[in-house]
Amino acid sequence: MQTLIENVNIVNPFEEISTHQNVLIEDGIIKEISSSKITSDNVIDGEDNYLMSGFIDCHTHIFAKGFHKEENMANPLGIHFYNAVPHSMQTINAGVTTIRDCGSADLSFKMAQQRRLFTAPKVFLSITPLVMTGGHFDLLLPSGWDMEIIYPGFPKGRCDGVEEVLKKTREVKRAGADFIKVMASGGVLTTNTSPEFAQFNKKELKTIVCEAKANDMKVSAHCHSLKGMNNCIKAGFSSIEHGTFIDRKTSRKMVEENVNLVPTLLVHQFLYKNGFPAWDSYADEKTEKLKEVVKVHKENISVAYEEGVNILMGTDSGVIPHGHNLEELVHLTDIGMSADEAIAAGTSKAAEFLGFDNLGLVKENYVADLILINSNPLDNVGVLSDNDNVLRVIQDGIEVKN
C-alpha cells in the first residue's frame, strides 16, 4: 500500500527544515523523500504544512483515569479496559504514536493495538510496577481493603526480599512486560508514603536488575528520593522517572552511568493547578505532598539538564487526563532545553532509548509514524500543545487522524 504526502516542510531536530518536499510511504515505511514530483494513486496534500515524526511518550498509564481508589472499588472491572479506548484516541489526537506504559496496561492492550481493534498508540509495557509492602502503589488501605486491580494474567506487584523480587520480576516478564518498573521511592498519590524516602534495599534493587538484564530488559524507577536515585544508579537501572530531588552530584553519576531521566514535569504542574476531585478521600494529603514536589522539581531538573543528563519526554498521563501530552515540551524548554532538544526528547532520543534505529525522524527507510503541524514548532514549540494544530496523524503509514 502506498501513500504520497505532497508539499510539506520536513522538521527533524538539529537539522535545517527541508521545504516543499514530497514523501512516499510504502507498507508503513518512508520509501522516498524528494523535492521532485512523485506519482501515486493515494495522495495527501500537505498544503505547505510541517511534517515531523510522531511523538513517543516515555511515561504514561493508558488504562488509568486518575488512580482514584474509590473508582477502583465502585466500577466493574470491564471499565478498567474500556477506558483505554478514549484514552488512546486522545493520545493519538495529541500527536503521540507510541507510548511506554509505566503501569496498568496489560498484554491485551498491546495485542488489540497490533490487531487494530481500535485506534491506539503502539506500546511498550511494564505491566505492573514492583512495590514493597507499605510502599508507593501498595494499595492495601488501613481498613484492610486492597484496592489494587488484579485478574488472571495480571500479577500483583507487591514483593519483599531478594527471593520475592526475583520471582516477581519473572512473573511480570511472563505477563508480557517489555521492561521492568520499580517503585523506588514514596510518591504523591499513595497514602502513608512520602516522596523523599527511598524504597527497596540495595540487594533487592540489584536482584531485579540482574534478572531483567538476563532477559535483555531495562529497568526503570519511579523515584523522587535522592537516596533512592543513587541506589538505583548503583544497581544498574536504565532510567529514573520524575527525579524530583535530584542534585548536581547525582546528575553527574547519571551521566557517567548512562542513566536516562524522564522528569514528567507536566503532571505535577497540572495537578497543582487543577487539584483533586472533591470526593477523593485523600485529596488533602496528596495536595500537601504535591506542594513540596512542585517547589523544587523544576529547579532540580534544570540542574540535571545543565550537567548533561539525557532527558526524555514523559507525561504521567493517566494520573492527569490524557491528551495533554505535548504540553510537556513547553515545560522542557522552561528548564533550558532548546526546541530542537525538547522535540528530540520525544522523538529521536526516545526512539533510541527504546532500541529503535529507524524511528523518530522523517527519513527514508524509517517507520512512517508522522504528524502534520500547521506551523513551525521550532519557532514556537508551544504550538504542539494545542491538539487542533496537529492536523493529521499517520501511524505505520495509515492515517489515524485527519
Side-chain angles (χ1 to χ4, degrees):
M1 178 181 173
Q2 279 192 346
T3 300
L4 174 63
I5 308 174
E6 289 186 326
N7 189 24
V8 291
N9 305 303
I10 294 176
V11 178
N12 285 317
F14 310 112
E15 296 180 7
E16 291 292 325
I17 291 178
S18 299
T19 59
H20 307 301
Q21 299 293 300
N22 304 307
V23 179
L24 181 65
I25 300 166
E26 189 172 291
D27 297 328
I29 301 295
I30 300 172
K31 184 178 181 181
E32 184 180 356
I33 300 174
S34 177
S35 57
S36 301
K37 185 173 177 61
I38 303 174
T39 58
S40 176
D41 293 333
N42 183 27
V43 178
I44 295 172
D45 184 358
E47 299 180 330
D48 201 30
N49 288 302
Y50 294 80
L51 188 72
M52 60 191 304
S53 171
F55 278 83
I56 300 167
D57 189 331
C58 288
H59 191 124
T60 65
H61 303 276
I62 200 69
F63 280 16
K65 195 176 182 180
F67 288 106
H68 299 297
K69 302 172 185 66
E70 294 86 348
E71 290 191 336
N72 289 0
M73 184 165 58
N75 288 333
L77 178 61
I79 296 296
H80 182 61
F81 304 99
Y82 291 131
N83 278 337
V85 178
H87 296 169
S88 293
M89 198 67 245
Q90 289 160 355
T91 304
I92 288 288
N93 285 341
V96 173
T97 50
T98 300
I99 59 172
R100 179 170 164 264
D101 190 277
C102 287
S104 75
D106 66 3
L107 188 58
S108 70
F109 178 83
K110 187 172 188 175
M111 294 172 68
Q113 189 282 325
Q114 290 171 340
R115 297 176 185 182
R116 301 195 181 278
L117 300 184
F118 55 91
T119 300
K122 292 179 278 190
V123 65
F124 280 71
L125 295 170
S126 66
I127 304 296
T128 192
L130 276 57
V131 51
M132 72 178 201
T133 297
H136 181 51
F137 220 69
D138 180 353
L139 301 182
L140 193 141
L141 304 181
S143 65
W145 290 102
D146 194 343
M147 295 294 101
E148 185 173 359
I149 295 175
I150 59 170
Y151 47 89
F154 193 86
K156 180 178 282 291
R158 194 183 302 133
C159 51
D160 300 284
V162 168
E163 290 186 3
E164 284 192 11
V165 300
L166 175 63
K167 184 175 182 180
K168 193 60 61 176
T169 302
R170 291 172 176 173
E171 286 182 2
V172 170
K173 178 186 179 297
R174 180 178 64 187
D178 299 301
F179 69 101
I180 303 298
K181 166 83 177 296
V182 181
M183 297 304 199
S185 83
V188 172
L189 297 186
T190 305
T191 187
N192 295 327
T193 71
S194 188
E196 67 266 28
F197 295 120
Q199 297 182 352
F200 284 114
N201 62 43
K202 294 175 183 178
K203 287 184 179 179
E204 291 169 326
L205 296 173
K206 187 65 177 177
T207 298
I208 295 165
V209 171
C210 286
E211 181 60 22
K213 285 188 174 179
N215 293 280
D216 197 25
M217 300 171 75
K218 293 180 177 179
V219 186
S220 295
H222 156 101
C223 199
H224 299 280
S225 159
L226 186 61
K227 180 180 178 181
M229 282 182 262
N230 281 290
N231 289 344
C232 291
I233 293 165
K234 290 176 183 176
F237 277 56
S238 297
S239 72
I240 301 293
E241 318 290 311
H242 314 307
T244 299
F245 298 109
I246 195 168
D247 63 7
R248 203 169 292 279
K249 184 178 178 181
T250 300
S251 297
R252 289 169 183 164
K253 288 181 182 177
M254 289 181 69
V255 174
E256 291 170 6
E257 299 298 329
N258 194 30
V259 181
N260 299 270
L261 177 62
V262 187
T264 65
L265 293 156
L266 169 65
V267 64
H268 299 136
Q269 297 293 335
F270 191 99
L271 289 175
Y272 191 66
K273 179 180 178 181
N274 295 282
F276 300 93
W279 48 260
D280 188 329
S281 303
Y282 298 95
D284 290 344
E285 180 184 337
K286 293 175 184 177
T287 300
E288 284 304 307
K289 288 188 284 186
L290 188 62
K291 286 179 182 177
E292 293 304 309
V293 168
V294 168
K295 192 184 300 181
V296 299
H297 194 197
K298 178 180 174 182
E299 182 179 336
N300 290 347
I301 299 303
S302 297
V303 168
Y305 167 69
E306 290 170 6
E307 290 298 328
V309 176
N310 191 44
I311 292 175
L312 304 173
M313 189 196 86
T315 63
D316 220 355
S317 294
V319 174
I320 60 176
H322 297 269
H324 297 269
N325 307 67
L326 299 192
E327 290 180 27
E328 179 72 11
L329 301 174
V330 176
H331 293 286
L332 292 179
T333 57
D334 284 346
I335 64 161
M337 296 178 80
S338 67
D340 286 286
E341 289 173 319
I343 289 169
T347 55
S348 55
K349 291 286 189 179
E352 181 182 347
F353 176 69
L354 294 180
F356 289 100
D357 60 4
N358 66 339
L359 183 68
L361 294 169
V362 185
K363 300 278 189 183
E364 291 180 356
N365 300 315
Y366 272 58
V367 175
D369 288 355
L370 305 166
I371 60 175
L372 193 66
I373 308 298
N374 64 6
S375 54
N376 184 359
L378 296 178
D379 287 341
N380 175 17
V381 77
V383 302
L384 293 165
S385 64
D386 184 344
N387 295 354
D388 289 340
N389 294 331
V390 182
L391 305 177
R392 296 177 186 264
V393 178
I394 294 169
Q395 183 187 60
D396 290 324
I398 298 172
E399 199 166 10
V400 289
K401 175 186 178 180
N402 58 30

